[in-house]
Amino acid sequence: MRIGVAGIGAVGADVARSLDRGDVPGCGLSGIAARTIEKAAALNETLRQPVPVLDFAALAEASDCVIEALPPALFGDLAAPVLRAGKHLIVLSASQLLGRDDLISLADESGGHILVASGAMLGLDALNAANIGQIDTVKIVTRKPIDGLVKAQFVARSGIDLTALQEPMQVIAGSVTEVAREFPANVNVAAAISLAGLGPDKTSMEVWADPSLTRNTHSVEVTSDSSDFTMSIQNRPSAENPATGIITAQSVIALLRRFHSTLQVGT
């Protein structure tokens, strides 16, 4: 299976190197898309077998499956050609799927598939199962260290100074839809939770800056007719980007392995 990687930041580069090492049976790296030739060349120097650097349309044609690990503003530029070509699109910027019924329709028409990686969250299988019945409430609380939020555009635009923060502070609260408008790069976990459950308008969210933390933390509370459950995870940040957890890249690799796995555990 030919796997393309679009975006070679902390997540994309880790996945590309894993594919290059042969960590995913039945899958190989077909190409990469990067914002600069220099960044692509630097990644290729670390690979055993350098791969072509392609634009989004060419990457879609050269691949059976494309992994999206891009800045939110570039999401649509990749998603449309991949889905139009009837390929698999593995999404990490789940917030960019909110309100994009056109992409789901495009995949429907072309035979493409959109797969949202678990990313930095756990328990999506339980939420999917609960959604077969009736889910009453879903709430997600995200707490991040200062480094993970200080450069966010909403923080700068709102004049919030996090550099001298001494205690936890709620930065924003509302529905996932509302928070996603202001934090498109920081609500991918919440977007995935909402897509698996009640939807973004009915899933509530809080984002906190916490100077005592060194890891991103996410907690989700769910009530439903089948079960009530709470999920919590603390993610170790990647060395390259403190706003991204190490487990995010690992979730993509785990998803790719499922394509050719004889035994699959979990919904």
Side-chain angles (χ1 to χ4, degrees), residues 82-174:
V82 172
L83 296 175
R84 194 177 297 118
K87 307 297 179 70
H88 288 75
L89 176 67
I90 294 181
V91 172
L92 286 165
S93 302
S95 64
Q96 299 307 294
L97 285 172
L98 303 182
R100 294 302 306 269
D101 290 344
D102 59 313
L103 292 178
I104 297 172
S105 297
L106 178 59
D108 235 2
E109 294 166 4
S110 67
H113 295 273
I114 303 170
L115 301 97
V116 178
S118 296
M121 195 57 216
L122 77 169
L124 289 173
D125 53 349
L127 196 54
N128 276 316
N131 204 27
I132 298 298
Q134 177 180 318
I135 297 176
D136 298 315
T137 62
V138 180
K139 177 182 179 181
I140 178 167
V141 178
T142 293
R143 297 177 183 270
K144 289 177 175 271
I146 303 304
D147 286 349
L149 287 171
V150 70
K151 295 181 180 179
Q153 291 183 5
F154 174 79
V155 172
R157 191 167 59 248
S158 302
I160 301 172
D161 183 10
L162 299 178
T163 57
L165 198 64
Q166 299 296 314
E167 58 186 25
M169 183 182 80
Q170 186 182 95
V171 177
I172 193 171

Side-chain angles (χ1 to χ4, degrees), residues 23-44:
D23 293 345
V24 187
C27 294
L29 185 62
S30 58
I32 57 175
R35 280 187 287 180
T36 67
I37 295 297
E38 292 77 16
K39 194 168 185 179
L43 175 62
N44 260 330

Side-chain angles (χ1 to χ4, degrees), residues 6 15 37 43 46 75 80 90-92 114 127 142 144 158 175 187 195 202 214 219 222-224 236 250 254:
V15 174
I37 295 297
L43 175 62
T46 69
F75 177 83
I90 294 181
V91 172
L92 286 165
I114 303 170
L127 196 54
T142 293
K144 289 177 175 271
S158 302
S175 69
V187 298
L195 291 170
K202 295 182 180 180
T214 58
S219 299
V222 179
T223 62
S224 72
R236 290 182 173 84
Q250 293 176 337

Side-chain angles (χ1 to χ4, degrees), residues 19-70:
L19 287 163
D20 178 62
R21 289 193 301 267
D23 293 345
V24 187
C27 294
L29 185 62
S30 58
I32 57 175
R35 280 187 287 180
T36 67
I37 295 297
E38 292 77 16
K39 194 168 185 179
L43 175 62
N44 260 330
E45 287 179 1
T46 69
L47 301 180
R48 298 174 182 177
Q49 296 183 340
V51 295
V53 181
L54 305 169
D55 62 27
F56 292 156
L59 189 65
E61 291 300 326
S63 308
D64 302 306
C65 174
V66 176
I67 296 159
E68 176 276 316
L70 294 165

